[in-house]
Amino acid sequence: MSMIRCFLLLGWVLVIGTLLSGCGGVGQTYKNLNMNFAAVQSIAVMPFENLTSDDDAAARVRDAFMGMLQATEAMYVLPPGEVQRGIERTNVRVPEAPTADEVKTLGKILNVEAVLTGVLREYGPVRSGQSEANIVSLSLQMMETETGTVVWSGASTQGGITLSDRMFGGGGEPMNKVTEKAVNDLLDQLFE
């Protein structure tokens, strides 16, 4: 009987550990309560700052975010070429982190109510011992173009090595699935 109890206890420990492990969407959200987000009809998504070792990661995540934001039909997302044209016309020095004045000028030239910037902190595989899994960590902020002030910011980290990955092996979820989860988490934060 004690052998059966031992296996049951081990089973419960594994179930609870699996539920509590891994990187979830632990995000911090700021939302300006005075902002009328319904008034945002169009938005320019700037190139994301890339703090990872993968040179193309920020462009891939930006593209995924833009497509999923457009799919919500909550606002029109300017195509990347139009955003780039606005960046060039306004001589934005650092497109990943425009100043308040540059945001106001971009708003007039591109005819948008908001500008969104992002920082990609992690993207790709992480290792712990013999285990490996994909992770995405992304922070975004939205500035309204009338004053250039930040009206929303959010962060999400998805993926990583879970307890079951450590115990039983496995490579975690594919990169596109982890990216999709991070973007969905940020969209949920934006529209809540």
Side-chain angles (χ1 to χ4, degrees), residues 10 22 35 38 49 51 53 56 61 63 66 68 70 76 80 97 102 107 109-110 136 139-140 154 163 177 187:
L10 180 60
M35 175 67 182
E49 184 175 356
L51 302 180
S53 59
D56 298 324
V61 174
D63 184 57
M66 290 174 69
M68 292 172 73
Q70 185 73 38
Y76 176 70
E102 290 170 335
I109 287 179
L110 296 175
V136 170
S139 300
L140 300 177
L163 181 61
K177 192 67 161 168
L187 290 174

Side-chain angles (χ1 to χ4, degrees), residues 154-173:
S156 180
T157 299
Q158 297 290 328
I161 299 169
T162 64
L163 181 61
S164 64
D165 290 336
R166 285 189 184 114
M167 293 183 73
F168 304 116
E173 295 182 301

Side-chain angles (χ1 to χ4, degrees), residues 67-141:
M68 292 172 73
L69 177 60
Q70 185 73 38
T72 67
E73 298 183 0
M75 61 190 73
Y76 176 70
V77 180
L78 256 62
E82 287 298 307
V83 174
Q84 186 60 40
R85 180 182 62 86
I87 290 169
E88 291 168 2
R89 285 186 62 196
T90 57
N91 294 319
V92 175
R93 288 180 289 132
V94 183
E96 297 84 1
T99 65
D101 289 334
E102 290 170 335
V103 168
K104 291 190 274 189
T105 306
L106 275 169
K108 290 175 186 159
I109 287 179
L110 296 175
N111 195 28
V112 294
E113 292 81 29
V115 170
L116 191 129
T117 62
V119 177
L120 184 62
R121 299 182 192 299
E122 288 187 78
Y123 182 89
V126 291
R127 291 190 62 83
S128 176
Q130 297 297 316
S131 301
E132 181 176 286
N134 292 312
I135 190 168
V136 170
S137 184
L138 178 64
S139 300
L140 300 177
Q141 69 177 8

